[in-house]
Each structure stands twice: as structure tokens, then as C-alpha cells.
Amino acid sequence: MTDDKTQPPVETSTIWGGRFSTGPDKIMEAINASIDFDQRMYAQDISASMAHAKMLADKEIISAADADTILSGLETIRDEIERGDFKFSRVLEDIHMNIENRLSTLIGDAAGRLHTARSRNDQVATDFRLWVRDALDYLDGNMKDLQAALLQQAHTHSGSVMPGFTHMQTAQPVTLGHHLMAYVEMIGRDRGRAADCRARLNESPLGAAALAGTSFPIDREATASALGFCSPMANSMDAVSDRDFALEFLAFASILAVHLSRLAEEYVIWSSQQFAYVKLGDAYTTGSSIMPQKKNPDAAELIRGKAGRVIGALNALLIVLKGMPMTYGKDMQEDKEPCFEVADTLQLCLVAMAGMLTDTTFDVERMSTDAGKGFSTATDLADWLVRVLGLPFRRAHHVTGAIVKLAEDKGCGLEDLTVEDMRTVEAGITAEVFAVLGADNSVASRVSLGGTAPANVRQAVAAAHKRFLDDG
Ligand code: ARG
């Protein structure tokens, strides 16, 4: 819309206003209109209308000439919107009626034939499925980029030793590469959930019309395949009334947001002075307005915090849909904003997380020193007692506990005890035991499938490249 001559202002909706003598109250308009947000689906709406118009002409429900006029009018509208020349009107409620109204200004009567055998109910369900499908596709790319950033650091640090934690207490030494690879797996499952959601949502509601189907001889297979859907939805009432695909999208998103918040939290912990495992680059931190020495991990904190919105969006839509009688109700207009917001939030978080990871320097010395603290190789000692002295594991656990107590009383590490010290607890112990007590030895010995040994991590990185990054 460029000026008032080409697109006159609308008082009442010319589209449904036949039985209305006055226009809606301003407040009604404000609560009813979705155009402020659903204009994001303009491209999907135009594609779906094009597929519908072509099908109507192929089935001789409208003339080929009318279909051609409709198609070129829709192309003009797409250009206008993309150039920023389209004036969206709240009086026209939503993206569907804004586009149809403009079409009628542009091409006249033929525009009125586009809505044959269609309702806004199947139209919005179709557009929204297409939009969520697109969002899943670009988020998959963002998740893949994050995996690539994780893999890069995991590769660099396949042999960097750090403490592994349970209960946030030092447990056993691990490699940093192994720790980061855990997130590669989590994000891999998130991508799997996104793919499952995409596969299930990829059926076409178009042609369900208002709720009951239509008496026109439409071809739903044709519109479905033109829009890249694998098939038409089987039941017209289900097609216009369920939004489980949006719930699945938000559920996948919530789990991903939880994963991102965990990694973000580790960054916050690791960048504290007490840990000092990572030095965040300047690009993903901020300073304090009062404390000149501060460098705060804001990006990580925000990623951690944004999980709240994402989970909130899932809850919001679950509550909107709960108890809704069949079929469409205007409540369903509340489905879009949570999904739009979540897609934007996650994209931002994924890109920021990948950037932050790439911009991070790990203090491997410090991590490695910490890895040996807290009697972290106690399990290695117990395993040695089983392997070399043939003790039952439960007995070995007990003996090791007593040796840990001895070291604790002496205020030293396990590796600082003498063999004589240890023999006071278990007479069979020899000096060979020291070979398993260092953190490096411990880590190198964890070669079981899925274990933390550097050799395993290098293999896991190579395998993950194939599983997650190579196309095809
Ligand atoms: N803006 C509406 C929505 O998002 C479009 C469908 C309107 N359908 C109706 N019967 N009023 O749900």
C-alpha cells in the first residue's frame, strides 16, 4: 500500500461485514486484531493461497484467467510487503484479511474467488504449520552450528584434564573434551526432537474449510504436495482445531532451553574467580558501572535466564488449549506469539552460545591442578585393589575409604602418602599403585565405551562430525 488512493481505509471489514451495520468498538478491535504479530506469516499465507488458487483452477472451480490474475496479484503483494510498502490495517484483523483486501483493491472481483472452498480456519492452521516448519528448519541449522563450536573446543581439549563433578563435589577426573561432548549429544537429541516434531506436523489442513470440509470438488493431495506437506490431514475437524504441533515445538524448545541453561550455568561458575576455569573474551561479557575490575558473563546469564520465557510459553499454550471444545475457537489466536517469541529467543541463544564458546580460553593448567584435588582418584585406587590384589569391590571400597581418611588426617593427597602409610591399612599394597593415582593416569585408563579417556574423546569427536555435521 503506497497511498490512500490505491488502498482506501476500511471502516468495517468488507470481508465479513455483510450482516454488520457498524464497525467494532476500538477496544474490540484492539483485543481482536492479530495483524501486529501474524504479519510474520505473510510469506506462508501467500504460498498457501497460491497453491489453493492453482488447485481451484485445475479442478475448474475457478477459471484459469482468474487464477492467473490472483497469482500475479499475490506476487505484487509479496513484493509490497517485502519492500515495506504494505500498510497493515488492524480493522482487517489479521494477515489473511489484510492480504485478501489488498488483492481485491489490486485485481477487483477475481479476488473474491480465492476464498472458494476455504475458510480462515484451515488457512490459519496451514500458514502456522508452514511457519513452525520453517522455524524448525532454521533452528536446526543454529543447533548444528552450536554442535560445530562445541566439537571444535572438544577436539582442542580432548586431552585437557579437569575435575568431573557429582553433587557439585569433585568426583573423578575427566577431560574437558568429554565434558563438552556431553552437550553435543544433548543438542543432537534436541535436533532429533525437532525432526520428529517436523515429521508429525507435516500434514496439510488446507481444504478442511471451516470445520466440515467442502462441497466443492477440491484436490487436497495437490495443495498438500505443492506446499511440501507429505499428505492432507485425514479429519477436517482435527485439522482446524488442534495445535499439538505448536505444543510439540514448544516442548522441544523448552528441553533445548534447559540444556542451554545448564551449559550457561557452567560458564557462569567456571568464569567466577573461585573457579577461574574460563577466560571469557571481551565480546560476550560486560563491565560494571561501579566496579572497574568486573567482567561479567552476561551472555551466559541471559541464556540461563531466557529458559524462563521458553518454558513459560509452553505453559501458556498448554493452558490456552486445555479444555477447548471442538473445533476452532478464537482462543487459538493465542497460539502464535509464544511460538514466535520462542523461535526468536532460541535463535539468539544458540548463536550467542556458539559465539561465546568460540571466544573462550580455558585455563587448562588450573583445571588440571584441580582435577587431582579432593581425592578424585579414590575410585582408581579401589579399582587397582580389585584388579591387582583380587579384593572384592566392596572390600576395596572400604580399604580405600580408610586410606582417604589417612590422607585427610595428614592433610595431603592420595599420591603424597607413602606406600608404608597405605600398608597400615592393606598390607598387600605395593609401590605400583602410584601409577593409577595421578589424574592423568586416571583419565587415560577410562577407555570403556563412552568413557573419558583422550583416545575415546578423539574418536567420539570424529564420529560426531559424521553423525551431526556431514550432510547427507
Ligand atoms: N486470526 C485468526 C487466528 O489466528 C485467524 C482465524 C480466524 N477464524 C475465525 N473463524 N475467526 O486464529
Side-chain angles (χ1 to χ4, degrees), residues 34 38 94 96 120-121 124 328 333 336:
S34 53
D38 70 12
D94 56 27
H96 324 294
R120 269 191 296 159
N121 295 351
V124 71
Y328 177 85
Q333 186 165 282
K336 287 166 215 67

Side-chain angles (χ1 to χ4, degrees), residues 11-255:
E11 297 299 335
T12 59
S13 174
T14 49
I15 288 166
W16 51 248
R19 71 187 291 264
F20 288 75
S21 40
T22 62
D25 190 273
K26 277 283 156 212
I27 293 298
M28 177 54 194
E29 190 182 296
I31 195 174
N32 196 36
S34 53
I35 189 61
D36 292 346
F37 53 87
D38 70 12
Q39 54 183 267
R40 279 186 75 154
M41 303 194 305
Y42 81 87
Q44 291 79 8
D45 192 71
I46 289 172
S47 303
S49 286
M50 286 178 158
H52 185 65
K54 281 185 204 151
M55 180 280 292
L56 291 176
D58 286 347
K59 299 298 292 181
E60 298 177 354
I61 299 168
I62 65 172
S63 70
D66 280 345
D68 285 347
T69 319
I70 289 170
L71 294 181
S72 72
L74 288 170
E75 261 159 34
T76 305
I77 293 171
R78 183 160 52 199
D79 290 346
E80 288 176 348
I81 296 175
E82 281 168 4
R83 279 200 313 269
D85 284 345
F86 191 98
K87 189 158 160 253
F88 293 105
S89 152
R90 279 197 179 173
V91 175
L92 292 165
E93 286 185 35
D94 56 27
I95 187 62
H96 324 294
M97 296 209 292
N98 269 265
I99 289 177
E100 196 183 322
N101 185 70
R102 178 63 182 144
L103 191 63
S104 124
T105 308
L106 283 173
I107 67 167
D109 285 349
R113 300 197 184 277
L114 173 60
H115 214 52
T116 314
R118 185 178 80 168
S119 150
R120 269 191 296 159
N121 295 351
D122 59 337
Q123 194 178 356
V124 71
T126 304
D127 295 358
F128 193 31
R129 275 178 191 257
L130 291 174
W131 192 92
V132 173
R133 193 177 75 184
D134 289 344
L136 285 165
D137 289 344
Y138 67 70
L139 287 173
D140 185 66
N142 298 132
M143 290 187 280
K144 187 175 171 184
D145 291 347
L146 175 58
Q147 287 182 307
L150 284 161
L151 278 167
Q152 182 57 51
Q153 288 283 18
H155 174 74
T156 309
H157 294 290
S158 57
S160 306
V161 176
M162 68 177 287
F165 302 92
T166 60
H167 311 271
M168 202 60 217
Q169 306 285 321
T170 299
Q172 294 174 346
V174 294
T175 48
L176 174 56
H178 196 54
H179 190 135
L180 296 174
M181 287 300 289
Y183 286 98
V184 171
E185 294 295 328
M186 292 182 224
I187 306 295
R189 286 191 298 277
D190 290 323
R191 291 180 68 189
R193 270 181 284 274
D196 290 346
C197 170
R198 190 191 195 286
R200 233 181 327 275
L201 74 68
N202 204 24
E203 292 186 341
S204 175
L206 198 57
L211 75 162
T214 175
S215 56
F216 290 99
I218 57 170
D219 183 351
R220 294 191 58 208
E221 304 276 353
T223 47
S225 90
L227 294 168
F229 287 117
C230 61
S231 63
M233 290 181 75
N235 181 294
S236 64
M237 294 174 77
D238 175 41
V240 296
S241 77
D242 204 5
R243 295 292 184 268
D244 58 352
F245 64 95
L247 290 176
E248 275 197 55
F249 170 68
L250 296 173
F252 134 74
S254 296
I255 298 172

